[in-house]
Amino acid sequence: MQVLKELAYLRQFVRHCDSIGLAIPNDSAAFREKFLNHNTPVGPGGPVSDWPRTELHPLLALGRHHRLPTRLLDWSSRAYVAAYFAISDVLAKRVDASADRLAVWILDIEKKAHFPELKVVAVPGGNNANLAAQSSRFTLLMQKGGRARPFEGETALDLYFTAQPLPPPLQKVTLPITEAPAALKLCSLYGVTGATMFPDYGGAARATEDELSTSPPPGELSLWQA
């Protein structure tokens, strides 16, 4: 049932992209027949046996970068990109108001061989400008299963690492929230802003909001805020 639900999300995502003329990664009649046809059987040897298949990774990555629920967990190969998102979330008050520190998690992919179910997914950025701008990589916990059989293994990265005998290949770097404005300026010096992370009008607006949250203009800001 879980795979059918996830396929339903992908099918609807593709349908809506088609309706407004947006390109889909790996798109072809064969691809749609194999993965997105409602009448395609799902069972051992099909999408369930090793879910999700490699051919679906670019589509999952595209959906993930546009808020579609997927199994992929988003990372960046650039430290300042990861720092920017932690800082921006603090400045926009998208974090717990009681938090006093922001955090960036570091995953040591050199130790990935010790965790065989953990897969690092890199996909081309040609269909996703945000993905290319953010130097995105994804992690995926592979699972086995079949028709009428439950999946094997964890779906959450923290639970997966907890169940392993070796220490997790993770490090946590924190910074006092009071340092967020100064850290945002450092990111900007390295060319990492809302505008460069999201190269469209929305990104330009995000960069503007970031900057004005640290240095608001004179006057009554509330008069022009939505």
Side-chain angles (χ1 to χ4, degrees):
M1 291 299 295
Q2 180 62 32
V3 168
L4 293 177
K5 183 176 181 179
E6 293 177 32
L7 281 170
Y9 270 96
L10 291 178
R11 287 165 179 156
Q12 288 298 98
F13 180 63
V14 169
R15 183 176 70 83
H16 287 297
C17 288
D18 275 345
S19 72
I20 54 177
L22 295 178
I24 297 297
N26 290 336
D27 201 7
S28 68
F31 176 80
R32 295 196 181 204
E33 177 65 25
K34 183 175 182 180
F35 292 108
L36 303 176
N37 187 338
H38 287 277
N39 297 318
T40 300
V42 177
V48 174
S49 63
D50 195 6
W51 176 258
R53 290 289 188 81
T54 301
E55 295 97 320
L56 284 171
H57 291 174
L59 179 57
L60 289 168
L62 179 66
R64 172 65 179 161
H65 261 232
H66 291 85
R67 302 178 64 184
L68 188 76
T70 77
R71 290 175 179 247
L72 298 183
L73 186 59
D74 200 359
W75 302 78
S76 175
S77 60
R78 297 173 60 196
Y80 275 90
V81 170
Y84 166 77
F85 282 104
I87 295 162
S88 181
D89 284 348
V90 165
L91 296 175
K93 304 186 186 308
R94 288 187 287 263
V95 298
D96 183 353
S98 65
D100 60 356
R101 302 183 74 86
L102 59 86
V104 173
W105 288 92
I106 302 169
L107 176 65
D108 185 354
I109 61 174
E110 296 298 324
K111 297 179 180 178
K112 184 175 67 68
H114 301 298
F115 303 91
E117 287 79 20
L118 180 63
K119 186 171 185 177
V120 176
V121 176
V123 300
N127 285 93
N128 189 343
N130 294 349
L131 185 150
Q134 297 167 21
S135 300
S136 289
R137 301 292 184 273
F138 303 88
T139 53
L140 172 66
L141 284 176
M142 299 299 295
Q143 292 187 296
K144 302 291 183 179
R147 185 183 292 273
R149 290 194 292 117
F151 279 117
E152 301 171 8
E154 296 288 351
T155 58
L157 191 61
D158 55 346
L159 295 178
Y160 172 70
F161 283 141
T162 299
Q164 304 306 308
L166 295 175
L170 288 172
Q171 295 182 51
K172 185 180 182 181
V173 179
T174 68
L175 186 73
I177 282 179
T178 53
E179 297 297 321
L184 182 70
K185 292 179 181 178
L186 286 175
C187 289
S188 180
L189 290 175
Y190 280 84
V192 178
T193 68
T196 58
M197 294 300 93
F198 301 93
D200 56 21
Y201 294 113
R206 179 167 180 151
T208 301
E209 291 173 356
D210 288 338
E211 292 163 4
L212 294 184
S213 68
T214 60
S215 301
E220 293 292 331
L221 188 62
S222 59
L223 292 178
W224 53 271
Q225 274 191 321

